């Protein structure tokens, strides 16, 4: 029996730990830094080093020291930041097996500009794009693009920005504001030294994952993410958010006017929920994505760049219709498990997570079949919403929000659904610690059955300011 360490702080890490806990080979799963919800599952607990929790996903020395002291047999790294800082390199230098790419391979996520150039070079379908390192050049391009009526744009910070550096624009003004935020105001620091501007595609977005040992690559499931903070008809929720962000009161009628004009704020967040499998993905489409996107990336990364990619590759795909056929175009590529897609996807995994991980480490993925249940899972994320407190009115996630709010009903909700904690603590009873708080996952033979269980369970949870979308799992614009 073995010991596994999962490096992650939120719901994705707890879903990964839960997958390992189901393995017949695993005796104990540590999560670093984890949160109070890391102990919801048998075998799982938060990692402690000399009586203290690991301070952060960036505390590489602490993580390596813990892995050595506990003599863990395998480390699985969840987020992109410790990967890009070289955590896998450090672990391997100590002889500790780890799942995740080495630092040099993380460029695929760490630089959007580099990746678009690479994908363009190897013929992987992508949106039309341009890279810029001068804000004035970028502004001129945007003005010209919109003046010619060529459609809308997406503006992206080149580097890692914790999932917040992407601006999906509906106008020239929004695109110009994005350039200002990223390159002038330096909202994301050095991540905004360069930007990538691409045409905004319209189609079916897919969170698609694959797993590779550097030679063999297998499909590793998919999900549909729901990223907008509010349901499209939640005008009152958006009104409160607008007031909190702009510090300017607007009436309900003013909010309705702004909504009709497309100017009422509904931000693109890190994820309000997910459904897996993705309702639009057939076996034929999965094979097409593997053949047109995933396999060429892994093969050419090795052949042209001389770098091996081992771990989870997560391309964000937009399926665009062309001549009656759906073509997968790559919006961006991540080098880790998706979030919140993992919370909806991993409960369906039937392949032993430890056996699969060791096949990646040992280069034997060709000997393993990756299998998922035909069941559906729907994950609904409860977040810290609008709340008035000692520091005044705060609009809630993904903007300024209150934490340390007391939580109730978790035990009752667990009877009906799986709970993956994104940000909770338990100093004296459970309380919130972040913007995304807890993801409630319902499972069923159909999406409707899974939705019903998720929403029945989430209604049992309560904390001040709690907010969640009501349309996760439905076919709604997002």
């Amino acid at each position: 029996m073995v010991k596994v360490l999962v490096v992650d702080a939120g719901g994705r890490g707890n879903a990964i730990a839960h997958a390992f806990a189901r393995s017949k080979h695993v005796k104990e799963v540590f999560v670093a830094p984890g949160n109070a919800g890391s102990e919801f599952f048998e075998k799982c607990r938060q990692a402690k080093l000399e009586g203290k929790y690991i301070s952060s996903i960036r505390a590489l020395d602490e993580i390596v020291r813990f892995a050595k002291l506990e003599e863990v047999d395998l480390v699985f790294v969840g987020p992109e930041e410790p990967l890009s800082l070289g955590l896998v390199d450090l672990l391997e230098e100590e002889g500790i097996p780890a799942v995740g790419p080495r630092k040099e391979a993380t460029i695929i996520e760490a630089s959007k500009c580099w990746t678009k150039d690479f994908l363009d070079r190897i013929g992987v379908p992508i949106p039309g794009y341009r890279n810029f390192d001068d804000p004035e050049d970028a502004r001129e391009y945007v003005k010209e693009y919109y003046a010619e009526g060529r459609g809308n744009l997406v503006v992206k910070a080149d580097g890692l920005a914790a999932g917040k550096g992407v601006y999906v624009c509906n106008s020239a003004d929004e695109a110009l504001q994005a350039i200002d935020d990223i390159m002038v105001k330096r909202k994301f620091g050095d991540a905004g030294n360069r930007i990538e501007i691409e045409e905004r595609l319209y189609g079916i977005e897919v969170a698609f994952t694959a797993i590779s040992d550097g030679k063999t690559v297998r499909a590793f499931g998919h999900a549909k993410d729901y990223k907008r903070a509010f349901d499209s008809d939640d005008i009152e929720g958006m009104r409160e958010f607008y007031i909190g962000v702009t510090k300017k009161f607007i009436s309900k009628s003013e909010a309705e006017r702004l909504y009709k004009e497309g100017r009422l704020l509904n931000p693109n967040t890190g994820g309000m929920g997910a459904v897996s499998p993705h309702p639009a993905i057939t076996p034929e489409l999965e094979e097409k994505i593997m053949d047109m996107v995933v396999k060429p990336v892994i093969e050419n990364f090795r052949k042209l760049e001389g770098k091996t990619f081992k771990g989870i590759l997560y391309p964000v795909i937009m399926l665009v219709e062309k001549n009656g056929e759906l073509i997968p175009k790559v919006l961006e590529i991540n080098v880790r498990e998706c979030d919140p897609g993992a919370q909806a996807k991993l409960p369906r995994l039937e392949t032993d997570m430890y056996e699969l991980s060791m096949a990646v480490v040992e280069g034997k993925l060709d000997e393993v079949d990756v299998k998922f249940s035909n069941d559906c899972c729907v994950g609904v994320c409860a977040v810290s919403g609008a709340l008035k407190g000692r520091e005044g009115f705060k609009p809630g996630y993904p903007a300024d929000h209150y934490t340390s709010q007391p939580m109730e009903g978790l035990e009752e909700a667990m009877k009906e659904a799986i709970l993956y904690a994104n940000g909770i603590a338990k100093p004296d009873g459970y309380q919130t610690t972040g913007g995304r708080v807890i993801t409630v996952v319902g499972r069923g033979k159909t999406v409707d059955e899974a939705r019903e269980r998720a929403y029945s369970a989430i209604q049992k949870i309560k904390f001040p300011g709690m907010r969640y979308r009501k349309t996760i799992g439905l076919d709604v614009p997002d």
Side-chain angles (χ1 to χ4, degrees):
M1 298 287 278
V2 300
K3 292 192 279 188
V4 174
L5 170 62
V6 175
V7 177
D8 208 314
R12 169 185 50 204
N14 289 330
I16 294 167
H18 183 211
F20 274 112
R22 302 196 299 271
S23 168
K24 63 187 178 186
H25 304 286
V26 174
K27 173 176 64 177
E28 201 165 14
V29 185
F30 300 101
V31 190
N35 58 53
S38 300
E39 306 194 353
F40 284 169
F41 307 102
E42 189 182 358
K43 302 182 187 177
C44 299
R45 60 191 175 101
Q46 268 185 282
K48 277 189 174 182
L49 183 65
E50 295 164 355
K52 294 180 181 178
Y53 295 124
I54 304 295
S55 58
S56 133
I57 56 171
R58 294 172 289 280
L60 304 195
D61 290 344
E62 290 178 36
I63 293 166
V64 173
R65 195 145 59 91
F66 175 86
K68 288 171 68 177
L69 285 172
E70 281 291 339
E71 298 181 330
V72 300
D73 300 280
L74 176 72
V75 179
F76 191 108
V77 186
E80 64 277 10
E81 194 168 1
L83 290 168
S84 67
L85 291 171
L87 178 55
V88 169
D89 308 56
L90 294 174
L91 289 163
E92 289 183 348
E93 285 166 16
E94 296 292 342
I96 301 167
V99 177
R102 292 177 66 86
K103 183 177 181 177
E104 67 172 11
T106 65
I107 191 170
I108 296 176
E109 180 167 1
S111 174
K112 293 181 180 65
C113 296
W114 183 92
T115 299
K116 279 298 195 310
D117 286 344
F118 173 68
L119 295 174
D120 187 43
R121 184 156 55 109
I122 66 174
V124 168
I126 54 174
Y129 77 102
R130 288 272 302 275
N131 296 330
F132 297 91
D133 54 21
D134 181 274
E136 195 51 48
D137 290 346
R139 289 190 193 102
E140 287 303 313
Y141 174 74
V142 164
K143 290 173 185 174
E144 185 180 310
Y145 192 96
Y146 277 93
E148 293 172 357
R150 292 163 62 187
N152 283 312
L153 291 167
V154 179
V155 181
K156 301 179 178 182
D158 176 53
L160 300 178
K164 305 294 190 296
V166 176
Y167 291 71
V168 181
C169 306
N170 289 305
S171 66
D173 286 345
E174 287 185 19
L176 293 169
Q177 182 62 53
I179 294 166
D180 192 53
D181 281 355
I182 297 169
M183 302 193 82
V184 181
K185 294 178 181 174
R186 311 291 290 178
K187 192 171 178 182
F188 309 105
D190 288 345
N193 288 342
R194 301 178 76 202
I195 59 171
E196 186 245 315
I197 301 179
E198 64 187 45
E199 65 171 318
R200 181 177 173 183
L201 298 179
Y202 296 86
I204 302 167
E205 188 171 328
V206 184
F208 189 93
T209 57
I211 192 163
S212 176
D213 63 3
K215 301 175 299 209
T216 303
V217 61
R218 300 265 196 243
F220 194 52
H222 40 76
K224 176 179 180 178
D225 285 350
Y226 294 76
K227 294 177 180 175
R228 292 290 174 185
F230 299 92
D231 290 319
S232 60
D233 61 352
D234 186 7
I235 298 175
E236 180 57 24
M238 286 184 262
R239 182 179 83 94
E240 283 189 326
F241 188 82
Y242 185 96
I243 292 168
V245 170
T246 64
K247 312 295 183 190
K248 175 185 172 185
F249 179 81
I250 56 170
S251 66
K252 290 186 177 182
S253 59
E254 286 176 298
E256 287 172 359
R257 176 178 59 79
L258 289 171
Y259 175 73
K260 287 174 183 173
E261 295 171 1
R263 295 195 294 129
L264 196 58
L265 300 176
N266 190 2
N268 207 27
T269 74
M272 295 296 295
V275 56
S276 181
H278 194 297
I281 299 297
T282 61
E284 292 75 24
L285 271 173
E286 181 177 287
E287 188 174 348
K288 183 184 284 190
I289 293 169
M290 290 294 290
D291 289 342
M292 293 180 71
V293 176
V294 176
K295 290 177 182 176
V297 167
I298 297 295
E299 289 169 10
N300 286 291
F301 196 57
R302 186 177 68 251
K303 289 177 183 175
L304 302 181
E305 298 298 319
K307 297 171 184 173
T308 300
F309 185 91
K310 296 177 77 168
I312 292 180
L313 193 78
Y314 160 29
V316 180
I317 304 288
M318 186 72 81
L319 294 172
V320 180
E321 189 170 347
K322 185 177 180 182
N323 300 324
E325 183 183 359
L326 288 174
I327 303 298
K329 292 198 174 186
V330 180
L331 303 183
E332 61 189 51
I333 297 183
N334 303 290
V335 297
R336 36 75 187 182
E337 184 59 274
C338 51
D339 183 16
Q343 288 96 297
K345 184 189 73 169
L346 289 178
R348 301 176 44 245
L349 180 65
E350 292 184 339
T351 302
D352 186 291
M353 186 68 162
Y354 178 75
E355 292 177 4
L356 179 62
S357 298
M358 289 309 297
V360 170
V361 170
E362 295 170 353
K364 297 179 179 178
L365 192 58
D366 59 337
E367 299 175 11
V368 178
D369 288 328
V370 179
K371 294 181 180 177
F372 285 86
S373 163
N374 290 326
D375 285 358
C376 299
C377 283
V378 171
V380 183
C381 189
V383 304
S384 300
L387 190 63
K388 188 173 184 179
R390 289 181 181 177
E391 298 171 20
F393 180 72
K394 294 189 178 184
Y397 177 79
D400 198 16
H401 54 270
Y402 280 98
T403 58
S404 304
Q405 300 304 304
M407 302 179 71
E408 298 176 4
L410 296 181
E411 292 82 1
E412 284 300 305
M414 283 181 203
K415 295 174 184 176
E416 297 186 37
I418 305 166
L419 303 192
Y420 293 131
N422 302 84
I424 70 173
K426 194 182 181 184
D428 181 20
Y430 291 109
Q431 61 179 232
T432 67
T433 62
R436 284 199 286 172
V437 177
I438 197 153
T439 301
V440 178
V441 181
R443 180 171 181 164
K445 295 296 180 188
T446 64
V447 171
D448 286 345
E449 191 177 306
R451 281 192 81 246
E452 187 178 330
R453 287 178 180 163
Y455 280 106
S456 174
I458 204 168
Q459 288 167 28
K460 293 174 170 57
I461 300 172
K462 293 180 174 58
F463 58 86
M466 177 175 167
R467 188 185 87 224
Y468 57 90
R469 285 183 49 175
K470 311 300 190 295
T471 57
I472 307 300
L474 298 182
D475 184 14
V476 293
D478 200 60

